[in-house]
């Protein structure tokens, strides 16, 4: 696990959330868990490729996703609309994009896939043989968990 | 609040036209809303690179707002193709990927300006004024 990159992902996400959805953001305890990762109602998944490989999954409950999207859109949303899904994808993409930019500027080539958002009950992500670092981020709209797996190819 | 572009007289007073290219519906929604806070700008949208090339050819917009990370034909290659066909194209790159190498790649492909996401009204206004006045200062803004 590239813990230095994990720290960059968490820091970038915290800063981005503060910029976009307000100041009430903090990272509480970080834990390492074996796969599979149990998610909540909404998962935004971004793949990482390059000199390191892995993925970041943001998971949150439906209420939090709808509230976050409403904050980003500047208007409340009635539920899980396509625009809400897109807002969550964009939030994840901006956070990880900023982190990847920092990592690249520090000399490691890393790129990201466009985000995928999945919704449903009790979602589970299966990643064989990869430990996942879980960082819960508390926002004014509820908790967003970052599930991060990244390791060097060699 | 409606804002005017200061000291700009473009198109003899006709509305400016803008093509927004992003695979994210939210990003298009957000950029369109920011653009609509400016006076006299009409927007059109494309959700991927191929659609952008086709829309650019059809509309010949005054400027383009272009994302980088898109499925299929991504943003930098799309800019390259648009600028090969129309070297005068005014493309503003907008991306969360803002590392030095990526910015240089976008500018080398023909983009005239680069904004790191998340985009504010101020960022956008500055970028549009810059490309519309043909000021060929290709330095990107400071990283956020």
């Amino acid at each position: 696990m590239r813990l230095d990159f994990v720290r960059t992902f968490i820091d970038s996400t915290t800063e981005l959330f503060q910029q976009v959805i307000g100041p009430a953001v903090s990272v509480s305890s970080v834990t390492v868990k074996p796969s599979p990762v149990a998610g909540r109602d909404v998962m935004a998944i971004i793949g990482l490729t390059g000199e390191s490989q892995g993925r970041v999954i943001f998971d949150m409950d439906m209420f939090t996703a709808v509230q976050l999207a409403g904050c980003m859109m500047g208007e409340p949303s009635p539920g899980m609309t396509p625009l809400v899904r897109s807002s969550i994808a964009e939030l994840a993409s901006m956070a990880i994009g900023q982190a990847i930019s920092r990592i690249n500027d520090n000399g490691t080539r890393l790129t990201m896939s466009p985000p995928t958002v999945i919704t449903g009950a009790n979602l589970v992500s299966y990643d064989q043989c990869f430990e996942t670092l879980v960082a819960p981020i508390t926002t004014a709209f509820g908790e967003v968990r970052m599930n991060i797996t990244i390791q060097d190819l060699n | 609040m409606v804002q005017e572009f200061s000291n700009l007289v473009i198109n003899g007073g006709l509305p400016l036209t803008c093509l927004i290219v992003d695979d994210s519906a939210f990003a298009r929604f957000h950029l369109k809303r920011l653009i609509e806070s400016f006076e006299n700008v009409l927007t059109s949208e494309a959700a991927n690179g191929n659609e952008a090339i086709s829309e650019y050819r059809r509309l010949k917009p005054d400027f383009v707002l272009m994302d980088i990370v898109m499925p299929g034909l991504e943003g930098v290659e799309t800019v390259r193709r648009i600028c090969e066909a129309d070297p005068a194209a005014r493309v503003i790159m907008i991306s969360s990927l803002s590392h030095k190498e990526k910015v240089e790649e976008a500018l080398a492909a023909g983009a005239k300006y680069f904004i790191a996401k998340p985009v504010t009204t101020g960022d956008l206004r500055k970028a549009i004024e810059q490309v519309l006045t043909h000021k060929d200062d290709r330095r990107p803004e400071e990283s956020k």
Side-chain angles (χ1 to χ4, degrees):
Chain A
M1 180 81 80
R2 287 295 303 256
L3 291 177
D4 51 341
F5 292 170
V6 169
R7 173 49 57 192
T8 304
F9 286 127
I10 294 171
D11 288 348
S12 288
T13 299
T14 306
E15 289 169 24
L16 191 278
F17 278 20
Q18 286 171 344
Q19 259 182 295
V20 175
I21 58 172
V25 177
S26 64
V27 176
S28 47
S29 61
V30 174
T31 54
V32 177
K33 292 187 177 176
S35 291
V37 175
R40 285 173 283 197
D41 306 336
V42 180
M43 291 169 67
I45 305 168
I46 293 179
L48 307 168
T49 55
E51 292 175 18
S52 297
Q53 194 167 0
R55 53 106 187 92
V56 179
I57 300 176
F58 293 85
D59 77 283
M60 66 204 80
D61 62 36
M62 192 74 73
F63 175 82
T64 299
V66 172
Q67 294 293 312
L68 284 174
C71 177
M72 291 172 72
M73 293 186 288
E75 56 193 53
S77 177
M80 182 51 73
T81 63
L83 196 54
V84 168
R85 293 169 68 98
S86 179
S87 303
I88 296 304
E90 186 68 5
L91 188 66
S93 176
M94 286 192 290
I96 299 308
Q98 284 194 359
I100 284 180
S101 296
R102 289 180 190 176
I103 290 167
N104 274 272
D105 279 337
N106 285 326
T108 302
R109 285 174 180 267
L110 197 62
T111 190
M112 62 190 271
S113 68
T116 301
V117 174
I118 300 172
T119 57
N122 301 315
L123 296 170
V124 176
S125 165
Y126 290 95
D127 285 301
Q128 291 181 335
C129 306
F130 289 136
E131 284 186 325
T132 297
L133 199 144
V134 182
I137 298 177
T138 304
T139 78
F141 309 104
E143 187 182 81
V144 177
R145 263 191 322 228
M146 294 182 75
N147 305 273
I148 308 165
T149 294
I150 184 160
Q151 51 193 14
D152 287 336
L153 286 178
N154 299 326
Chain B
M1 186 178 80
V2 175
Q3 302 175 56
E4 291 179 16
F5 284 101
S6 58
N7 306 319
L8 289 178
V9 179
I10 309 285
N11 284 357
L14 292 173
L16 290 168
T17 52
C18 164
L19 175 61
I20 299 171
V21 185
D22 202 308
D23 60 310
S24 161
F26 170 79
R28 297 196 303 274
F29 167 88
H30 178 61
L31 289 171
K32 187 175 180 186
R33 178 177 279 183
L34 294 182
I35 287 286
E36 285 174 350
S37 73
F38 304 135
E39 189 176 69
N40 221 21
V41 185
L42 300 177
T43 59
S44 175
E45 299 177 25
N48 58 61
N50 286 321
E51 200 178 310
I53 291 169
S54 163
E55 282 296 280
Y56 187 87
R57 200 177 292 134
R58 187 174 73 85
L59 299 169
K60 280 284 167 59
D62 292 303
F63 62 95
V64 180
L65 306 179
M66 176 80 68
D67 185 28
I68 290 181
V69 180
M70 295 188 287
L73 189 61
E74 52 82 45
V76 173
E77 181 57 28
T78 305
V79 171
R80 185 172 290 115
R81 294 187 191 184
I82 287 175
C83 291
E84 276 172 5
D86 179 9
R90 301 175 180 118
V91 182
I92 298 166
M93 222 70 195
I94 297 180
S95 179
S96 55
L97 290 181
S98 56
H99 49 284
K100 188 169 178 282
E101 187 184 359
K102 186 58 74 178
V103 173
E104 287 174 352
E105 193 185 340
L107 298 180
K112 301 291 189 291
Y113 205 89
F114 193 104
I115 305 175
K117 287 182 178 178
V119 183
T120 65
T121 309
D123 294 334
L124 197 54
R125 179 190 180 83
K126 183 179 167 190
I128 294 169
E129 287 189 339
Q130 187 102 355
V131 299
L132 289 180
T133 50
H134 302 276
K135 193 173 171 184
D136 194 18
D137 179 356
R138 295 188 161 203
R139 288 173 302 174
E141 62 167 6
E142 292 294 319
S143 294
K144 291 180 178 177

